[in-house]
Amino acid sequence: MCQLLGMNCNVPTDICFSFEGFHKRGGITDQHADGWGIAFFENEGCRLFLDYQASAVSPVAALVRNYAIKSKNVIAHIRKATVGSVSLANTHPFMRELWGRYWIFAHNGEIGTLPALLGNRYRPVGATDSEHVFCWILEQICQRFPQEPSQEQLYLALEDLAQDLAQRGTANFMLSNGRWLAAHCSTNLHYVVRQAPFGAAHLVDNDITVDFSELTTQNDRVAIIATVPLTDNEVWTKMNAGELLLFQDGKPIGI
């Protein structure tokens, strides 16, 4: 299975600390060595880095580790190929446009029976079930809402679509349009919210500790979402099977 990493913040923040541990799972501390990718939203823009090489040895990953890009919404993925060959076209996250905004999607799991793509706007480029599912989600949203709906309406639609996917297979996924980050759990997904009073965090995959009290202000808030917790001295919340959470301004919000 692949692994997911997401970050949602109330102020632009870099993901260097979390990514320092996460990238090692792509071939060193775990065997997800079939490509990786990461997307950073910056206002209306989005930086997308992809590589079919393992993240543990990828020169692109080395660039990201040393490039403190600040963003409010980040999605990263390391791949263990199950459907589709090891190639750039099959590497997550995937990006599409909807309502004049970029949307980013990454998926962990396998969907046995793919839903039919009935529209003409979205088509997968690669051969993964994940990209097919992303196209289906956006297509379904377009069919339900001729114009951009409220956040509550969109959440309820995503919840309905996620339930459909969960009946077809394993649907751990993250989705963001730069305003919020949605995370759906089928099997494994955890999150931690860092806010004042900040403390130190120690990575599981690398012997590195950072004291966030030295790097933040009292008003900062950051949510980190991952397939498996990245640190061993923080309290991570395990999401329930079938749960869909919407993260905004560094915390899960009620709908």
Side-chain angles (χ1 to χ4, degrees):
M1 288 291 197
C2 309
Q3 288 208 22
L4 300 166
L5 169 64
M7 182 180 75
N8 172 267
C9 322
N10 66 340
V11 295
T13 305
D14 74 68
I15 200 170
C16 292
F17 175 70
S18 294
F19 189 70
E20 188 61 37
F22 185 71
H23 91 281
K24 285 185 171 291
R25 296 180 178 180
I28 295 180
T29 61
D30 215 326
Q31 52 185 341
H32 306 79
D34 297 326
W36 74 280
I38 190 168
F40 302 83
F41 281 97
E42 294 181 61
N43 297 317
E44 289 75 30
C46 185
R47 299 177 191 258
L48 180 61
F49 298 89
L50 302 171
D51 194 352
Y52 57 82
Q53 297 184 69
S55 59
V57 298
S58 165
V60 183
L63 180 151
V64 171
R65 288 167 56 207
N66 293 287
Y67 188 4
I69 301 170
K70 293 186 182 254
S71 173
K72 287 187 178 181
N73 288 283
V74 178
I75 292 178
H77 180 276
I78 50 177
R79 184 174 184 234
K80 183 173 177 59
T82 54
V83 178
S85 63
V86 177
S87 68
L88 203 59
N90 290 332
T91 304
H92 309 218
F94 303 104
M95 181 166 67
R96 296 291 192 277
E97 177 274 335
L98 175 60
W99 296 316
R101 299 188 69 86
Y102 290 121
W103 290 57
I104 294 291
F105 178 86
H107 168 238
N108 164 24
E110 190 169 343
I111 305 298
T113 305
L114 292 174
L117 293 174
L118 302 177
N120 297 313
R121 180 171 180 180
Y122 298 107
R123 283 289 185 269
V125 175
T128 65
D129 53 343
S130 304
E131 188 183 15
H132 182 107
V133 162
F134 181 33
C135 292
W136 176 77
I137 289 174
L138 294 184
E139 180 184 90
Q140 289 292 310
I141 290 173
C142 286
Q143 290 179 4
R144 296 183 187 205
F145 305 109
Q147 297 180 337
E148 186 171 1
S150 69
Q151 190 163 283
E152 180 179 3
Q153 290 174 311
L154 186 56
Y155 171 85
L156 293 174
L158 288 175
E159 189 175 47
D160 182 47
L161 296 173
Q163 289 174 0
D164 186 316
L165 291 174
Q167 295 175 359
R168 299 170 181 270
T170 305
N172 301 296
F173 68 77
M174 293 185 189
L175 174 72
S176 179
N177 64 359
R179 295 175 177 170
W180 42 256
L181 189 153
H184 179 262
C185 176
S186 276
T187 53
N188 273 322
L189 213 52
H190 302 74
Y191 70 90
V192 63
V193 175
R194 295 179 182 139
Q195 58 189 346
F198 289 94
H202 178 263
L203 290 174
V204 173
D205 301 272
N206 205 346
D207 189 18
I208 296 176
T209 300
V210 166
D211 186 349
F212 287 107
S213 66
E214 299 175 353
L215 304 172
T216 55
T217 72
Q218 289 293 106
N219 298 321
D220 293 353
R221 186 170 55 242
V222 179
I224 301 292
I225 310 101
T227 301
V228 178
L230 293 165
T231 58
D232 54 17
N233 64 336
E234 295 181 292
V235 178
W236 290 72
T237 300
K238 179 174 172 54
M239 291 177 58
N240 298 318
E243 186 175 16
L244 176 72
L245 289 179
L246 205 64
F247 291 84
Q248 193 169 42
D249 293 327
K251 63 179 179 180
I253 60 174
I255 296 294

